[in-house]
Structure formats: C-alpha cells, structure tokens
Amino acid sequence: MSRRLAWCFLWWSCALLLALPQSLPAQTPAVAAAQIKGESQPAHPYIPKLVDITASTGIHFVHNSSPDARYIVESMSGGVALIDYDRDGYPDIYFTNAPTVAQYLQGVPAYSALYHNNGNGTFTDVTKQSGLGNPCWAMGAAVGDYNNDGWPDLLVTCFGGVELFRNNGNGTFTNVTKQAGLASDHGWATGAAFGDYNNDGWDDLFVPHYVDLDLHDLPTLGSRPTCMYQGIAVQCGPRGLPGSPDNLYRNNGNGTFTDVSKEAGVSDPNDYFGLTGVWEDFYGDGKLDLIVANDGEPNYLYQNDGHGHFKEIGYASGLALNGDGYEQANMGIALGDYLHTGRLSVAITHFSGEYTTLFRNDGNFNFTDVSAQAGLVQATAPDVGWGDAFVDANNNGWPDLFLVNGHVYPQVDSKAVGTHYKESKLLFLNEGNGKFFNASKLVGPAIQIPQVSRGLAVGDLFHDGHQELVIENLVGGPMILRIDPNPKNHWISLQLAGSPAQGNLLALNARVQVIAGDLSQVQEVRSGGSYLSQNDLRLYFGLGRHTRADKIVITWSDGEKETITGLAADHYYSILQGVGIVPAARITPRAPAKF
C-alpha cells in the first residue's frame, strides 16, 4: 500500500474516531463506586485525587510562547527535569524555555529556570547562581553522570544541538559541551537519554533529532498542502520538511564523547523526525536496546548485539507501526510493567485523530498493540498527547497511566473540528486485567483545566509517600499535581547507587523487582523518556495493604544481582551496590570529578 493511500485510510479512520464521545460523562464518587461492580470498572474501588499545589510551591516560572504559533519550532519545546542536583534527597526542578522566532532573530533570549527544593513544600529560584538560565533554544533535558563522580549532570537539548552541564557539587554547573566533544551537534535535538550501552561503566548518550529547519527560510502559515489542517491554515511541518539524522555518543571515560552513530547502526539514514529515545534491555540479556519514537514515521527498535552494534528490528518486533499497520505521530514514551509479567510494555502518545498506543511486551522482542483492549482509543483520540508516565496513583501496586495534552495549532479554535488548542489531562486506572478505567472526571477538577501541556516528570517531591506530577506547559506557567492515593495502602521508595569500582554511580538502567505478598513489580532507573523530560531517579512502588516488601531483587547495570529481604513499608531506603541498605549519606558523593 502506498503511503498516500495509507494516509487516506487513516484520515477517514480519524474522522470516525473524532465523532465518538471524547470522555466519560461527569460522575459523582458515589456513582463511580457503584459502577465499579461492572466489568469495565477498576479492580480497586478507591478513586485517588489529584490536587493542584502549584501556588503553594512558590514557583513562578512562565514558558515563553507565541500567541499564534506560526512556525513548528514554536510549538515543540517545554521539557521538565527532576534532578536532585545538591544530593540532599529532595528532587529539584528544571524547566526549559524557548524564544519565538521573532525574538530569536532579534537576539532576545528566553530563560530556563532551576528551582531548589526546600524540603518543606516550597521551592527557591536558584537559576542565576546555577549557570543554567540561558543554555540555548531549549527543548528538553536529561540527567546522567557523564564523569562518574556521583553528582547528576544535566544535558539540555536545543534547537541547534545539545549543551552538557557538569555538576560542580556546590550548586553551580559548568558548560562542558565543547571540551566533551559535543559541540559538533548542530541538529534540532529532542528527547535525549544517557545509558551505558557497551557496559564499560560510563554513561553514553543518544540524541534524536527532529526537523532540519532554517529560521531564515521558514514556510509560512498555510503556504503548502502540508500546512493545512481540516481546512485551516496552520504552521508547516513536520510533513513536507526534511528530517535530520540521530546521534550516538560513546563515553570515552575521560570527560569526552565520540560520535559512533554510523558504526553502531543508529544514525537514522532515513532522516526520520526523531522525538524521544529510551534505553531499555528488552531481551533481558544485560545489553541495552534502544527505542526511538519518530513523529509521523515508523518507530525504531535497535537490538544491541553486545559488540558495539545494533540491528533495527522495529517492523519485526511490532513497535514500528500501530496494530492496523499505520505510522503514527509518535511523541512521548513511557515504559511500565502494567501486567506484572516482569516485562516493561511501551505507551506512546500521538496526534489528534490517532490515539495513545499501548504496546504489550510479549517477550523476545515481540510487541502487540493492545490499545483498544486496554480502553485507551476512544478517550485519547481527540487530543494531541505529549508527556506520559506509568505511575501508581493509588499505591495499590498496579501502575496507572497519566497523559498530558495540548494541540500544536492555536488556529483549531477557529473552527469546530472536534479538538481544541488547550486540552485537559487524562488518568487511566489500572484494573489489573489488562484494561484501564478512564478516571479523569473523577479525580478532581485540576486535570480538567484545559492547558497546552508538553513535558511531564514524576517524583515524590516532599518525602511523604505522595507522588507529584510536574507538568510544563507551552503556554503559561507549569502545573504541579499532588497525588492523594488510598490512605490504607502502603509504599516503599528506593534510591540506588552503583559501586564506585564498577562505575555508573547513578545506577542508570538498574532493574528492581519488589515482591510483597502476592504483588511482584518491576521498574528501572532511567534517564530521559516521557516527552523531553526526566523523572526522579528514585524508584517508588505501591504495596497495597502489605506492610513490608518481602524481597527486593536488584539487577545492576553490570549484570550483578543482589537480594534484600524484609524491608518495612512507608520508608525511603538507600542501596549501595554490593553493600545493601546504607544511610543516605553513604551514597552522597564527597567531591566532584575534575573533568
């Protein structure tokens, strides 16, 4: 089937989807509880609450935006990173920012912001002293430890390359992009991620790239067939614009990186529109594989052969296209063991008229689109989805799915086309049987406020057993949502640190299995993901009614396994590779590396 014919079929499919109801009608908690007896209701009847706490945090950041977003580069920024940069145990927040085209051409910067977590529910703006205020035309951010000193470093992706900031361990960062060998990257960098693909103990770096765009030669609103949406003149792209190749940078272990994209087989010779890269050992053989979400193009899945090379198996695995065989506008990536199989499945957000795709991990590099069976198609089709995360909103041990939305075209509000520029967020509760219940109308009014959202990061900001959802909006200020789960359920949180002798001190891609009674869950420490964003590196597990974790099995990034038993619930624990449970101070680095 030709691509043009495929898109015709997709257009008609989208039209039918848009005609469906966009969400469940509003219900009272009593009605919701009564309906839980039905087959499509959640297995756990308590409905959590999502409470907007933004005002009380003292955060006053506002993302720069164009009122009419005439160019695609003005619609794609807005990543957020949780980074405990001072290693005090409380995640701090970094918001990226970007100028409009007019501002950029006039030399007017847009300032990103770093907020220090005070540990009492509030934050302090420390941007000026940090050195992170004006990195570039900033898209997103990812956390790694490129020099293996235990201090989390920050990579900012830009329209125009990447900027690597070394954490100096004193509240400041130094731009080391040039000396690290990354200054040659001039592409439109998007959702990057650190990961040790060659198992040498040093964090390597993958950087996907989006569109090859010249700000001095921009296509104008509605000037081409690909610049029209539902009969409305809109910004051009990515369709009709040239794509850009991706890059893999191998960490040399001396503060520098080497571009090995082509020899490793991940250079993207098709020049697809790359938006998000995520490292994950899908086969369980100790070798990190790589998934890349491409906007409007097939996704890549690169299988690691363990010898510095990758084989692209997207089509064979089932991850390249949706279940109907169509390319989708792939945006953000979330990984989660929502079925308790020990395998991480993949959720990918998409454009309006499509739907958030849930690829069930069937093992051995086989994935199945189960979006319809899971109950995600109808509710997600009208919106443009971006940041996403599997998060246990009820602490019941079953990861739920949270999505943030917002269109790219402000002009859609000028005509009744079944979608809007500002869109609400969505929470799907895991029923424990492969299905999700759309609880978006039941968890409080905050997520129903329409916004133009982009990035999403998750973490327990205040050490109280309540996770927070940190959302960066393209238009206006961020939203921070506190999750109030079932108070009868318990939880446990783990911060891992790799052995200094082995490297990878942040324990990226270490896998943890937590067993509590009949619950068995798997998570990984991960760099990047969602959309242009970074979750807290600590792992958080709901335990339901269980008051302890009977057994915790850690598979460290070097393949070493470690088992810890009998940990009491409702506590944070620090775990040092080869040692076990240690005081938090034991995994706090003393001095930063010299490079």
Side-chain angles (χ1 to χ4, degrees), residues 259-377:
D259 186 348
V260 295
S261 314
K262 291 185 179 180
E263 63 187 78
V266 297
S267 63
D268 179 24
N270 298 311
D271 287 349
Y272 285 164
F273 308 125
L275 280 181
T276 305
V278 172
W279 295 103
E280 162 62 20
D281 179 6
F282 282 115
Y283 197 63
D285 57 1
K287 299 186 286 286
L288 288 184
D289 310 300
L290 178 65
I291 180 174
V292 184
N294 295 307
D295 187 1
E297 303 285 1
N299 297 311
Y300 289 132
L301 177 58
Y302 295 106
Q303 181 181 1
N304 189 340
D305 70 0
H307 302 288
H309 302 91
F310 294 81
K311 178 182 179 182
E312 205 289 297
I313 59 169
Y315 281 101
S317 70
L319 271 176
L321 310 172
N322 70 7
D324 294 323
Y326 294 125
E327 303 161 350
Q328 291 181 291
N330 306 286
M331 309 288 198
I333 298 178
L335 274 66
D337 181 18
Y338 79 101
L339 287 171
H340 290 182
T341 61
R343 299 185 294 268
L344 298 182
S345 297
V346 181
I348 304 181
T349 52
H350 295 109
F351 201 74
S352 58
E354 299 176 348
Y355 55 87
T356 292
T357 308
L358 179 60
F359 292 99
R360 186 186 63 212
N361 186 342
D362 298 322
N364 298 320
F365 290 113
N366 292 308
F367 294 83
T368 302
D369 179 355
V370 294
S371 312
Q373 300 95 305
L376 300 179
V377 172

Side-chain angles (χ1 to χ4, degrees), residues 132-417:
L132 295 173
N134 186 25
C136 57
W137 185 312
M139 295 294 297
V143 173
D145 182 14
Y146 85 102
N147 55 0
N148 255 341
D149 63 357
W151 292 95
D153 306 304
L154 187 71
L155 181 95
V156 180
T157 58
C158 316
F159 176 69
V162 297
E163 299 291 335
L164 177 62
F165 292 90
R166 183 187 65 214
N167 189 336
N168 299 320
N170 60 2
T172 70
F173 290 78
T174 298
N175 191 327
V176 295
T177 309
K178 185 175 182 180
Q179 65 192 67
L182 298 175
S184 60
D185 192 318
H186 300 295
W188 181 348
T190 48
F194 289 95
D196 182 14
Y197 79 91
N198 56 1
N199 293 331
D200 64 355
W202 296 88
D203 294 345
D204 308 297
L205 175 64
F206 177 76
V207 181
H209 294 94
Y210 195 46
V211 171
D212 184 3
L213 195 66
D214 182 357
L215 292 184
H216 298 277
D217 184 24
L218 293 169
T220 58
L221 212 69
S223 60
R224 305 174 183 176
T226 52
C227 312
M228 300 294 296
Y229 177 78
Q230 303 279 3
I232 305 170
V234 296
Q235 63 188 231
C236 300
R239 287 285 179 191
L241 299 177
S244 188
D246 301 330
N247 289 94
L248 174 61
Y249 298 100
R250 185 187 64 218
N251 192 327
N252 300 319
N254 60 1
T256 68
F257 291 83
T258 298
D259 186 348
V260 295
S261 314
K262 291 185 179 180
E263 63 187 78
V266 297
S267 63
D268 179 24
N270 298 311
D271 287 349
Y272 285 164
F273 308 125
L275 280 181
T276 305
V278 172
W279 295 103
E280 162 62 20
D281 179 6
F282 282 115
Y283 197 63
D285 57 1
K287 299 186 286 286
L288 288 184
D289 310 300
L290 178 65
I291 180 174
V292 184
N294 295 307
D295 187 1
E297 303 285 1
N299 297 311
Y300 289 132
L301 177 58
Y302 295 106
Q303 181 181 1
N304 189 340
D305 70 0
H307 302 288
H309 302 91
F310 294 81
K311 178 182 179 182
E312 205 289 297
I313 59 169
Y315 281 101
S317 70
L319 271 176
L321 310 172
N322 70 7
D324 294 323
Y326 294 125
E327 303 161 350
Q328 291 181 291
N330 306 286
M331 309 288 198
I333 298 178
L335 274 66
D337 181 18
Y338 79 101
L339 287 171
H340 290 182
T341 61
R343 299 185 294 268
L344 298 182
S345 297
V346 181
I348 304 181
T349 52
H350 295 109
F351 201 74
S352 58
E354 299 176 348
Y355 55 87
T356 292
T357 308
L358 179 60
F359 292 99
R360 186 186 63 212
N361 186 342
D362 298 322
N364 298 320
F365 290 113
N366 292 308
F367 294 83
T368 302
D369 179 355
V370 294
S371 312
Q373 300 95 305
L376 300 179
V377 172
Q378 179 178 330
T380 63
D383 300 325
V384 178
W386 301 89
D388 53 348
F390 283 100
V391 54
D392 188 351
N394 241 338
N395 283 347
N396 61 13
W398 292 86
D400 310 301
L401 184 61
F402 186 74
L403 312 172
V404 304
N405 305 298
H407 220 285
V408 294
Y409 309 137
Q411 295 80 12
V412 296
D413 289 337
S414 67
K415 186 178 179 180
V417 292

Side-chain angles (χ1 to χ4, degrees), residues 39-110:
E39 182 180 355
S40 64
Q41 306 305 318
H44 308 280
Y46 188 91
I47 302 295
K49 299 301 178 187
L50 303 186
V51 182
D52 184 358
I53 63 169
T54 314
S56 64
T57 63
I59 291 176
H60 302 291
F61 173 79
V62 175
H63 191 281
N64 194 54
S65 62
S66 169
D68 54 1
R70 302 179 66 85
Y71 307 106
I72 188 173
V73 72
E74 297 176 331
S75 295
M76 306 297 290
S77 176
V80 56
L82 300 187
I83 173 174
D84 182 10
Y85 73 90
D86 57 354
R87 296 302 301 268
D88 66 353
Y90 289 91
D92 310 295
I93 305 177
Y94 183 70
F95 297 103
T96 69
N97 209 347
T100 66
V101 170
Q103 289 172 335
Y104 182 82
L105 295 177
Q106 294 169 9
V108 178

